[in-house]
Structure formats: structure tokens, C-alpha cells
Amino acid sequence: MAGSMSEILSFIRDNDRFTILSHTSPDGDTLGSALALRLLLNALGKEAEVACSHPVPGAYDFLPGAAEVKDPDQAAGYPAAIAVDCADKCRFGRAAALFDKAKVTANVDHHGTNDMYADVNWMEETAACGELIYRIIGELGAELTADMATCLLTAIMTDTGCFAYSNVTEDTMVIAGALIAAGGDNAEINMKVYRTSPYCRSMLQAEAVSRTKLYCGGKLAITTVTMEDMARHGALSEHCDGIVEQLRDIDTVEIAVFLREDEGKIKGSLRAKRYADVSRVASKLGGGGHKRAAGYTCYCPIDEAAATAVRLGEEELDICLKA
Ligand code: 5GP
Ligand code: MN
């Protein structure tokens, strides 16, 4: 653990107007955590907004408050900024301006690579950032409402691969149970996030997966999606969510790499299955994350990015072999 929860609790008690920051290409954990925190702050009689550099993906439309998530240009930019699920300031994208203009800043996160960029920081390597928000709600003695439970159950479900990954602990399950008891609908959230796919997404994913290349005797899998691929399918970047997991699930694969082209940059997603540390790979490329799920952004042609990812993935597998 780094920093402390008590400093975050004081930060919440001592301020009245908050801008909550979610990371770019938002996922269930950053959105669920941010929206639950907003509900908590409102329940405490405080003003709060959630800002994010990218729009809320369609799969998360149902989250209470999703429609009020603001583009950074439209956000008020309150004096207290609090980032959730963001390992470093690069994760803010255009929302960085809101963080920089705030008088006081806080950082609640669960990535081991967090570089403690705020005035007040709390990093604990739980399965999901949503678990930390759950604990904050409890410590402040606020009522856990059904809407908060929906947000937090979504956060935890999405960061644990539906409670399937090695990051799930007894605490994760106890908290998930409490969230279901408070009104979170496990099956309904699962249906909306994982079992509802627009046609264009299914087709784009099938094509991307069908182009998978294997290296290192099948231990490393990689595929890419260009902007042209997305345009051809009429798909959005959010429709790429899930591709890297399909590569990881191939029986021989330990490291899966997915590269997506996006307006002059490449977004890399890395997954490991059992033993590799892909946060080490992502860190070498200026990104970060968790041992088994990490990411980065780079600025080069996609073929060059693919060659680099394969080389560094191979290096990681070598490190693991020698350990
Ligand atoms: P995803 O591949 O789903 O975008 O991200 C996987 C994990 O890596 C998430 O925990 C996410 O927060 C982290 N991650 C993704 N991209 C970046 C990045 O550019 N920098 C850092 N520090 N972490 C990232
Ligand atoms: Mn997370």
C-alpha cells in the first residue's frame, strides 16, 4: 500500500466541489468507480462532476450518471480534483488540464505502477479500483445505494474478467456480495457489458482474431486493427474491447498483444495468462498497468509497433524462463 486511505477521507471531508477524472478509453472500473464516487459526494451534500477524455462506451450507457459524464472542454473544473483508476497523469488525456488547474488533487488507484502524482495519494493493489471506493463509502458512514452498487459491481466485474482472474480475493467476493445485497444486479450487468455486441463489433473482432500471428512457439500472440478496418466495419474504438482477451485464451499463449491505430498513434493492450509480467513490458514503452493486464501508447507506424511489441514480449518470456 502506498499513501493512505485516511488522507483521502480528509480530502473528501475538507473540500466541497470536486472534479473526478476517469482515464482515456474508459473501462468499467474507471467509470464505475468515478460514478459511484460522484454519488457518494452528492450524498454528502457536495458538488461533483465526472470528466473523461473520451465518451462513455455504449456498453456502459446504463451506469447511473453515465449521461452526465463530461467532456473535459465542457467540465466546470472544480477546485478539488480526484483521479480514479489512473496510474499516471498521461492517463488523463485532455482531462489533464482540469487536474492541473485544481487547487488540491487526489489519486485513488490500484495499479502497482502508480507514480503518486497527486497531493494526496492512495494506491492499493486490489482487483478493482471499485473496491477502494466501496471502502471509502463505508469509512465515511454513507448509505450504499442501489445505484452506487450497480456502479461498483460493474467496476469489479470488468476488472476481474467476471470474477475469473487471479486478482480476485476473498475481499473481492465479500464486497461483490455486499453490492448484490445493496441492489446490484449481477446477471443484468453481465448481460449488458459482456453479452450484448453490435454486429459491427462482432464482425470486426472476428476479422482481427482471424489475422492473429503466433510467435515464440505459440507463447506470444499478436493482432492489429487499423483505422481503415474500423471504418470498413463502421466500428468505434470501443468495439475493440475483448479482442486481446480472445488471443490470450488460445491454449499455447502466455502473452497476448493487441494494437489499435488511432489518429497518428497506436494504443497497445497487453495480457498475460499465468506468469509473465506485462506491466514490465508496458513500462518499457512508457505505459503501465498490472502484471496480467497492461497498456501503452506509442507514436510510429503500426508495423513498427508490432515488431517492437513482439521483440519486448519475447524478452519478457526469456526473463520468465530464466527466473
Ligand atoms: P487495456 O488494455 O484494457 O486498455 O488496459 C489494461 C490495463 O492497463 C488497465 O489496468 C489500464 O488501466 C492499464 N493501461 C492501459 N493503457 C495504459 C497506459 O497507456 N498507461 C498506463 N500506465 N496504464 C495503462
Ligand atoms: Mn482498474
Side-chain angles (χ1 to χ4, degrees):
M1 184 169 92
S4 76
M5 170 160 63
S6 64
E7 286 177 274
I8 300 294
L9 299 178
S10 304
F11 183 89
I12 291 174
R13 289 192 188 103
D14 296 346
N15 290 286
D16 290 315
R17 293 186 302 149
F18 298 83
T19 296
I20 304 163
L21 303 184
S22 275
H23 62 71
T24 59
S25 304
D27 57 18
D29 194 23
T30 197
L31 288 171
S33 297
L35 289 167
L37 180 58
R38 174 173 169 260
L39 290 168
L40 167 70
L41 293 169
N42 290 159
L44 297 171
K46 295 164 190 285
E47 240 178 284
E49 62 178 0
V50 175
C52 186
S53 203
H54 290 118
V56 174
Y60 298 112
D61 268 356
F62 71 93
L63 287 175
E68 286 115 71
V69 173
K70 292 181 178 163
D71 181 271
D73 292 341
Q74 260 75 58
Y78 290 128
I82 178 160
V84 290
D85 201 35
C86 299
D88 53 59
K89 287 176 72 174
C90 297
R91 300 292 285 146
F92 299 158
R94 288 181 300 112
L98 300 167
F99 191 85
D100 292 338
K101 91 174 223 202
K103 292 201 169 57
V104 281
T105 59
N107 156 27
V108 177
D109 184 38
H110 71 131
H111 295 94
T113 56
N114 194 293
D115 61 11
M116 305 289 149
Y117 50 80
D119 299 330
V120 174
N121 304 275
W122 180 33
M123 190 287 291
E124 203 168 319
E125 286 196 85
T126 47
C129 196
E131 293 180 43
L132 304 180
I133 305 298
Y134 172 85
R135 283 160 60 187
I136 289 172
I137 294 170
E139 287 293 325
L140 289 172
E143 184 200 349
L144 180 67
T145 64
D147 280 353
M148 289 176 191
T150 297
C151 293
L152 295 177
L153 194 55
T154 303
I156 298 175
M157 187 189 295
T158 52
D159 255 28
T160 58
C162 307
F163 304 97
Y165 298 153
S166 57
N167 58 1
V168 173
T169 62
E170 186 183 340
D171 273 354
T172 315
M173 289 308 211
V174 169
I175 292 172
L179 294 171
I180 290 172
D185 189 334
N186 188 54
E188 187 60 24
I189 296 171
N190 194 276
M191 172 72 84
K192 284 179 172 140
V193 176
Y194 290 102
R195 291 184 290 138
T196 308
S197 180
Y199 182 76
C200 65
R201 175 179 180 269
S202 298
M203 294 305 108
L204 174 74
Q205 299 222 347
E207 187 184 306
V209 172
S210 76
R211 290 197 300 247
T212 301
K213 287 190 185 136
L214 296 178
Y215 295 87
C216 309
K219 288 199 183 72
L220 193 147
I222 181 167
T223 196
T224 59
V225 163
T226 63
M227 291 179 65
E228 193 275 319
D229 293 327
M230 278 187 276
R232 191 160 25 80
H233 286 280
L236 303 169
S237 55
E238 69 194 56
H239 296 137
C240 293
D241 289 354
I243 294 174
V244 71
E245 285 81 6
Q246 293 189 59
L247 269 57
R248 178 205 55 204
D249 292 348
I250 297 168
D251 57 359
T252 57
V253 169
E254 174 58 28
I255 294 180
V257 181
F258 171 63
L259 302 179
R260 171 172 65 78
E261 191 184 33
D262 181 18
E263 306 281 4
K265 56 180 191 274
I266 306 293
K267 183 77 193 71
S269 281
L270 304 172
R271 297 292 183 271
K273 189 180 282 164
R274 293 183 194 281
Y275 54 83
D277 180 353
V278 287
S279 77
R280 190 153 55 189
V281 178
S283 295
K284 289 177 186 169
L285 295 164
H290 307 288
K291 280 191 173 146
R292 308 284 186 259
Y296 61 94
T297 299
C298 62
Y299 303 84
C300 64
I302 199 156
D303 292 347
E304 206 177 296
T308 304
V310 169
R311 182 171 53 77
L312 292 180
E314 218 167 344
E315 210 171 277
E316 174 60 26
L317 289 169
D318 274 351
I319 294 171
C320 295
L321 205 67
K322 286 179 190 136

Short mmCIF file of all heavy atoms in Angstrom, two decimals, residues 160-206:
data_model
loop_
_atom_site.label_atom_id
_atom_site.label_comp_id
_atom_site.label_asym_id
_atom_site.label_seq_id
_atom_site.Cartn_x
_atom_site.Cartn_y
_atom_site.Cartn_z
N THR A 160 -12.09 -7.97 -13.19
CA THR A 160 -11.76 -9.33 -12.77
C THR A 160 -12.15 -10.34 -13.83
O THR A 160 -12.11 -11.55 -13.56
CB THR A 160 -12.52 -9.70 -11.47
OG1 THR A 160 -13.94 -9.56 -11.71
CG2 THR A 160 -12.09 -8.83 -10.30
N GLY A 161 -12.51 -9.88 -15.04
CA GLY A 161 -12.97 -10.81 -16.08
C GLY A 161 -14.13 -11.62 -15.55
O GLY A 161 -14.11 -12.85 -15.62
N CYS A 162 -15.13 -10.92 -14.99
CA CYS A 162 -16.31 -11.59 -14.40
C CYS A 162 -15.89 -12.53 -13.26
O CYS A 162 -16.31 -13.69 -13.20
CB CYS A 162 -17.12 -12.35 -15.43
SG CYS A 162 -17.60 -11.35 -16.84
N PHE A 163 -15.03 -12.02 -12.38
CA PHE A 163 -14.60 -12.76 -11.18
C PHE A 163 -13.80 -14.01 -11.53
O PHE A 163 -13.85 -15.00 -10.80
CB PHE A 163 -15.81 -13.11 -10.29
CG PHE A 163 -16.60 -11.89 -9.91
CD1 PHE A 163 -17.74 -11.53 -10.62
CD2 PHE A 163 -16.19 -11.07 -8.86
CE1 PHE A 163 -18.45 -10.38 -10.30
CE2 PHE A 163 -16.90 -9.92 -8.54
CZ PHE A 163 -18.03 -9.58 -9.25
N ALA A 164 -13.08 -13.96 -12.64
CA ALA A 164 -12.36 -15.16 -13.10
C ALA A 164 -10.84 -15.07 -12.92
O ALA A 164 -10.17 -16.09 -12.98
CB ALA A 164 -12.68 -15.41 -14.57
N TYR A 165 -10.29 -13.87 -12.74
CA TYR A 165 -8.83 -13.73 -12.76
C TYR A 165 -8.19 -13.94 -11.39
O TYR A 165 -8.85 -13.94 -10.36
CB TYR A 165 -8.43 -12.34 -13.27
CG TYR A 165 -8.86 -12.05 -14.68
CD1 TYR A 165 -9.08 -10.74 -15.10
CD2 TYR A 165 -9.03 -13.08 -15.61
CE1 TYR A 165 -9.47 -10.45 -16.40
CE2 TYR A 165 -9.41 -12.79 -16.92
CZ TYR A 165 -9.64 -11.49 -17.31
OH TYR A 165 -10.02 -11.20 -18.59
N SER A 166 -6.85 -14.05 -11.43
CA SER A 166 -6.09 -14.32 -10.20
C SER A 166 -6.08 -13.11 -9.26
O SER A 166 -5.62 -13.23 -8.13
CB SER A 166 -4.66 -14.72 -10.56
OG SER A 166 -4.06 -13.69 -11.33
N ASN A 167 -6.58 -11.96 -9.72
CA ASN A 167 -6.63 -10.80 -8.80
C ASN A 167 -7.83 -10.88 -7.83
O ASN A 167 -7.92 -10.09 -6.90
CB ASN A 167 -6.65 -9.47 -9.59
CG ASN A 167 -7.82 -9.35 -10.57
OD1 ASN A 167 -8.64 -10.25 -10.68
ND2 ASN A 167 -7.88 -8.24 -11.28
N VAL A 168 -8.72 -11.83 -8.04
CA VAL A 168 -9.89 -11.97 -7.15
C VAL A 168 -9.45 -12.55 -5.82
O VAL A 168 -8.78 -13.58 -5.76
CB VAL A 168 -10.96 -12.88 -7.79
CG1 VAL A 168 -12.09 -13.16 -6.80
CG2 VAL A 168 -11.51 -12.24 -9.06
N THR A 169 -9.81 -11.85 -4.74
CA THR A 169 -9.51 -12.33 -3.40
C THR A 169 -10.82 -12.58 -2.65
O THR A 169 -11.90 -12.26 -3.17
CB THR A 169 -8.69 -11.29 -2.61
OG1 THR A 169 -9.51 -10.11 -2.48
CG2 THR A 169 -7.40 -10.94 -3.31
N GLU A 170 -10.68 -13.07 -1.43
CA GLU A 170 -11.87 -13.25 -0.60
C GLU A 170 -12.58 -11.90 -0.42
O GLU A 170 -13.80 -11.81 -0.50
CB GLU A 170 -11.44 -13.81 0.76
CG GLU A 170 -12.61 -14.16 1.63
CD GLU A 170 -12.17 -14.64 3.00
OE1 GLU A 170 -11.01 -15.07 3.16
OE2 GLU A 170 -13.02 -14.59 3.91
N ASP A 171 -11.78 -10.84 -0.22
CA ASP A 171 -12.35 -9.49 -0.05
C ASP A 171 -13.19 -9.08 -1.26
O ASP A 171 -14.26 -8.50 -1.12
CB ASP A 171 -11.23 -8.45 0.08
CG ASP A 171 -10.79 -8.30 1.51
OD1 ASP A 171 -11.43 -8.90 2.39
OD2 ASP A 171 -9.80 -7.58 1.74
N THR A 172 -12.66 -9.41 -2.46
CA THR A 172 -13.38 -9.05 -3.69
C THR A 172 -14.78 -9.66 -3.67
O THR A 172 -15.78 -9.00 -3.97
CB THR A 172 -12.63 -9.60 -4.93
OG1 THR A 172 -11.24 -9.33 -4.80
CG2 THR A 172 -13.15 -8.98 -6.21
N MET A 173 -14.82 -10.93 -3.30
CA MET A 173 -16.10 -11.66 -3.30
C MET A 173 -17.03 -11.16 -2.19
O MET A 173 -18.24 -11.05 -2.39
CB MET A 173 -15.85 -13.15 -3.13
CG MET A 173 -15.23 -13.80 -4.35
SD MET A 173 -16.16 -13.44 -5.86
CE MET A 173 -15.88 -14.93 -6.79
N VAL A 174 -16.46 -10.85 -1.04
CA VAL A 174 -17.27 -10.34 0.08
C VAL A 174 -17.89 -9.00 -0.34
O VAL A 174 -19.08 -8.75 -0.12
CB VAL A 174 -16.42 -10.20 1.36
CG1 VAL A 174 -17.16 -9.43 2.43
CG2 VAL A 174 -16.02 -11.59 1.87
N ILE A 175 -17.07 -8.16 -0.95
CA ILE A 175 -17.57 -6.84 -1.39
C ILE A 175 -18.62 -7.03 -2.48
O ILE A 175 -19.69 -6.40 -2.44
CB ILE A 175 -16.40 -5.94 -1.87
CG1 ILE A 175 -15.51 -5.57 -0.69
CG2 ILE A 175 -16.93 -4.69 -2.58
CD1 ILE A 175 -14.22 -4.85 -1.04
N ALA A 176 -18.36 -7.92 -3.44
CA ALA A 176 -19.35 -8.17 -4.50
C ALA A 176 -20.67 -8.64 -3.89
O ALA A 176 -21.75 -8.22 -4.32
CB ALA A 176 -18.81 -9.20 -5.49
N GLY A 177 -20.59 -9.48 -2.88
CA GLY A 177 -21.80 -9.96 -2.20
C GLY A 177 -22.57 -8.80 -1.58
O GLY A 177 -23.80 -8.71 -1.71
N ALA A 178 -21.84 -7.91 -0.94
CA ALA A 178 -22.49 -6.75 -0.32
C ALA A 178 -23.13 -5.85 -1.38
O ALA A 178 -24.19 -5.26 -1.15
CB ALA A 178 -21.45 -5.96 0.49
N LEU A 179 -22.49 -5.77 -2.53
CA LEU A 179 -23.04 -4.94 -3.62
C LEU A 179 -24.32 -5.56 -4.19
O LEU A 179 -25.28 -4.84 -4.51
CB LEU A 179 -21.99 -4.75 -4.72
CG LEU A 179 -20.75 -3.94 -4.28
CD1 LEU A 179 -19.67 -3.99 -5.36
CD2 LEU A 179 -21.12 -2.50 -3.97
N ILE A 180 -24.35 -6.88 -4.27
CA ILE A 180 -25.57 -7.55 -4.74
C ILE A 180 -26.68 -7.34 -3.68
O ILE A 180 -27.82 -7.01 -4.02
CB ILE A 180 -25.31 -9.05 -5.01
CG1 ILE A 180 -24.42 -9.18 -6.27
CG2 ILE A 180 -26.63 -9.81 -5.20
CD1 ILE A 180 -23.93 -10.58 -6.56
N ALA A 181 -26.30 -7.46 -2.42
CA ALA A 181 -27.29 -7.25 -1.34
C ALA A 181 -27.85 -5.83 -1.38
O ALA A 181 -29.02 -5.59 -1.05
CB ALA A 181 -26.64 -7.53 0.01
N ALA A 182 -27.03 -4.88 -1.81
CA ALA A 182 -27.48 -3.47 -1.84
C ALA A 182 -28.26 -3.14 -3.11
O ALA A 182 -28.68 -2.00 -3.30
CB ALA A 182 -26.26 -2.55 -1.72
N GLY A 183 -28.42 -4.12 -4.01
CA GLY A 183 -29.26 -3.87 -5.19
C GLY A 183 -28.53 -3.97 -6.52
O GLY A 183 -29.13 -3.71 -7.57
N GLY A 184 -27.25 -4.32 -6.53
CA GLY A 184 -26.54 -4.52 -7.80
C GLY A 184 -27.03 -5.81 -8.44
O GLY A 184 -27.11 -6.84 -7.78
N ASP A 185 -27.38 -5.76 -9.72
CA ASP A 185 -27.93 -6.93 -10.41
C ASP A 185 -26.85 -7.58 -11.26
O ASP A 185 -26.58 -7.17 -12.40
CB ASP A 185 -29.13 -6.49 -11.28
CG ASP A 185 -29.89 -7.67 -11.86
OD1 ASP A 185 -29.29 -8.75 -12.04
OD2 ASP A 185 -31.08 -7.51 -12.15
N ASN A 186 -26.23 -8.62 -10.70
CA ASN A 186 -25.08 -9.27 -11.34
C ASN A 186 -25.38 -9.75 -12.77
O ASN A 186 -24.63 -9.43 -13.70
CB ASN A 186 -24.66 -10.46 -10.46
CG ASN A 186 -23.38 -11.10 -10.92
OD1 ASN A 186 -22.36 -10.43 -11.06
ND2 ASN A 186 -23.41 -12.38 -11.17
N ALA A 187 -26.47 -10.48 -12.94
CA ALA A 187 -26.79 -11.04 -14.26
C ALA A 187 -27.09 -9.94 -15.28
O ALA A 187 -26.67 -10.01 -16.44
CB ALA A 187 -27.98 -12.00 -14.15
N GLU A 188 -27.80 -8.92 -14.84
CA GLU A 188 -28.19 -7.84 -15.76
C GLU A 188 -26.95 -7.05 -16.21
O GLU A 188 -26.80 -6.72 -17.39
CB GLU A 188 -29.19 -6.92 -15.04
CG GLU A 188 -29.80 -5.84 -15.90
CD GLU A 188 -30.59 -6.37 -17.10
OE1 GLU A 188 -31.04 -7.52 -17.06
OE2 GLU A 188 -30.72 -5.61 -18.08
N ILE A 189 -26.06 -6.76 -15.27
CA ILE A 189 -24.84 -6.02 -15.63
C ILE A 189 -24.01 -6.87 -16.59
O ILE A 189 -23.51 -6.38 -17.61
CB ILE A 189 -24.01 -5.68 -14.37
CG1 ILE A 189 -24.78 -4.72 -13.46
CG2 ILE A 189 -22.65 -5.08 -14.75
CD1 ILE A 189 -24.15 -4.50 -12.09
N ASN A 190 -23.90 -8.16 -16.29
CA ASN A 190 -23.13 -9.06 -17.13
C ASN A 190 -23.70 -9.12 -18.55
O ASN A 190 -22.96 -9.08 -19.54
CB ASN A 190 -23.12 -10.46 -16.51
CG ASN A 190 -22.08 -11.34 -17.15
OD1 ASN A 190 -22.33 -11.94 -18.19
ND2 ASN A 190 -20.89 -11.36 -16.58
N MET A 191 -25.01 -9.18 -18.64
CA MET A 191 -25.68 -9.21 -19.95
C MET A 191 -25.35 -7.94 -20.74
O MET A 191 -25.00 -7.99 -21.92
CB MET A 191 -27.19 -9.32 -19.73
CG MET A 191 -28.02 -9.16 -20.98
SD MET A 191 -27.88 -10.57 -22.06
CE MET A 191 -29.10 -11.65 -21.33
N LYS A 192 -25.44 -6.79 -20.05
CA LYS A 192 -25.24 -5.52 -20.76
C LYS A 192 -23.79 -5.34 -21.20
O LYS A 192 -23.52 -4.85 -22.30
CB LYS A 192 -25.67 -4.36 -19.87
CG LYS A 192 -27.18 -4.25 -19.83
CD LYS A 192 -27.66 -3.14 -18.94
CE LYS A 192 -29.15 -2.96 -19.10
NZ LYS A 192 -29.82 -2.69 -17.83
N VAL A 193 -22.85 -5.71 -20.34
CA VAL A 193 -21.44 -5.45 -20.65
C VAL A 193 -20.84 -6.52 -21.55
O VAL A 193 -20.09 -6.20 -22.47
CB VAL A 193 -20.61 -5.31 -19.35
CG1 VAL A 193 -19.13 -5.13 -19.67
CG2 VAL A 193 -21.12 -4.17 -18.50
N TYR A 194 -21.17 -7.79 -21.30
CA TYR A 194 -20.46 -8.88 -21.98
C TYR A 194 -21.25 -9.65 -23.02
O TYR A 194 -20.68 -10.33 -23.85
CB TYR A 194 -19.91 -9.88 -20.95
CG TYR A 194 -18.79 -9.30 -20.16
CD1 TYR A 194 -18.99 -8.84 -18.86
CD2 TYR A 194 -17.52 -9.15 -20.72
CE1 TYR A 194 -17.97 -8.27 -18.14
CE2 TYR A 194 -16.50 -8.58 -20.01
CZ TYR A 194 -16.71 -8.15 -18.72
OH TYR A 194 -15.70 -7.58 -18.02
N ARG A 195 -22.56 -9.59 -22.94
CA ARG A 195 -23.32 -10.45 -23.84
C ARG A 195 -24.27 -9.66 -24.75
O ARG A 195 -25.32 -10.14 -25.13
CB ARG A 195 -24.05 -11.52 -23.02
CG ARG A 195 -23.00 -12.51 -22.44
CD ARG A 195 -23.60 -13.66 -21.71
NE ARG A 195 -24.20 -13.22 -20.47
CZ ARG A 195 -25.37 -13.65 -20.00
NH1 ARG A 195 -26.07 -14.52 -20.68
NH2 ARG A 195 -25.82 -13.20 -18.85
N THR A 196 -23.86 -8.42 -25.04
CA THR A 196 -24.62 -7.58 -25.96
C THR A 196 -23.60 -6.92 -26.87
O THR A 196 -22.86 -6.04 -26.45
CB THR A 196 -25.39 -6.49 -25.18
OG1 THR A 196 -26.15 -7.12 -24.15
CG2 THR A 196 -26.31 -5.70 -26.09
N SER A 197 -23.51 -7.39 -28.13
CA SER A 197 -22.49 -6.87 -29.03
C SER A 197 -23.12 -6.37 -30.32
O SER A 197 -23.84 -7.11 -30.98
CB SER A 197 -21.49 -8.00 -29.35
OG SER A 197 -20.49 -7.55 -30.23
N PRO A 198 -22.88 -5.11 -30.70
CA PRO A 198 -23.37 -4.68 -32.01
C PRO A 198 -22.74 -5.55 -33.11
O PRO A 198 -21.61 -6.03 -32.93
CB PRO A 198 -22.89 -3.23 -32.13
CG PRO A 198 -22.31 -2.86 -30.82
CD PRO A 198 -22.09 -4.09 -30.01
N TYR A 199 -23.47 -5.74 -34.19
CA TYR A 199 -22.99 -6.59 -35.30
C TYR A 199 -21.60 -6.16 -35.76
O TYR A 199 -20.71 -7.00 -35.96
CB TYR A 199 -24.00 -6.48 -36.45
CG TYR A 199 -23.66 -7.33 -37.65
CD1 TYR A 199 -23.87 -8.70 -37.63
CD2 TYR A 199 -23.13 -6.74 -38.80
CE1 TYR A 199 -23.57 -9.48 -38.75
CE2 TYR A 199 -22.82 -7.52 -39.91
CZ TYR A 199 -23.04 -8.88 -39.88
OH TYR A 199 -22.74 -9.64 -40.97
N CYS A 200 -21.39 -4.84 -35.92
CA CYS A 200 -20.10 -4.36 -36.43
C CYS A 200 -18.96 -4.78 -35.52
O CYS A 200 -17.86 -5.09 -35.97
CB CYS A 200 -20.12 -2.84 -36.62
SG CYS A 200 -20.30 -1.91 -35.09
N ARG A 201 -19.23 -4.84 -34.22
CA ARG A 201 -18.20 -5.24 -33.26
C ARG A 201 -17.86 -6.71 -33.46
O ARG A 201 -16.69 -7.09 -33.53
CB ARG A 201 -18.68 -4.99 -31.83
CG ARG A 201 -17.72 -5.48 -30.77
CD ARG A 201 -18.25 -5.16 -29.37
NE ARG A 201 -17.36 -5.60 -28.33
CZ ARG A 201 -17.42 -6.80 -27.75
NH1 ARG A 201 -18.35 -7.67 -28.11
NH2 ARG A 201 -16.57 -7.13 -26.80
N SER A 202 -18.88 -7.54 -33.53
CA SER A 202 -18.66 -8.98 -33.70
C SER A 202 -17.87 -9.25 -34.98
O SER A 202 -16.95 -10.07 -34.98
CB SER A 202 -19.99 -9.73 -33.73
OG SER A 202 -20.66 -9.57 -32.50
N MET A 203 -18.20 -8.55 -36.06
CA MET A 203 -17.52 -8.78 -37.34
C MET A 203 -16.07 -8.28 -37.30
O MET A 203 -15.15 -8.96 -37.77
CB MET A 203 -18.28 -8.08 -38.48
CG MET A 203 -19.65 -8.66 -38.76
SD MET A 203 -19.63 -10.44 -39.11
CE MET A 203 -20.36 -11.08 -37.61
N LEU A 204 -15.87 -7.09 -36.72
CA LEU A 204 -14.51 -6.55 -36.60
C LEU A 204 -13.64 -7.49 -35.76
O LEU A 204 -12.49 -7.78 -36.11
CB LEU A 204 -14.55 -5.15 -35.95
CG LEU A 204 -13.19 -4.54 -35.64
CD1 LEU A 204 -12.51 -4.08 -36.93
CD2 LEU A 204 -13.31 -3.37 -34.68
N GLN A 205 -14.20 -7.98 -34.68
CA GLN A 205 -13.44 -8.86 -33.78
C GLN A 205 -13.09 -10.17 -34.48
O GLN A 205 -11.97 -10.66 -34.36
CB GLN A 205 -14.24 -9.11 -32.50
CG GLN A 205 -14.51 -7.82 -31.73
CD GLN A 205 -14.32 -7.94 -30.24
OE1 GLN A 205 -14.22 -9.02 -29.70
NE2 GLN A 205 -14.24 -6.79 -29.57
N ALA A 206 -14.06 -10.71 -35.24
CA ALA A 206 -13.80 -11.98 -35.95
C ALA A 206 -12.64 -11.78 -36.93
O ALA A 206 -11.73 -12.61 -37.02
CB ALA A 206 -15.06 -12.44 -36.68
#
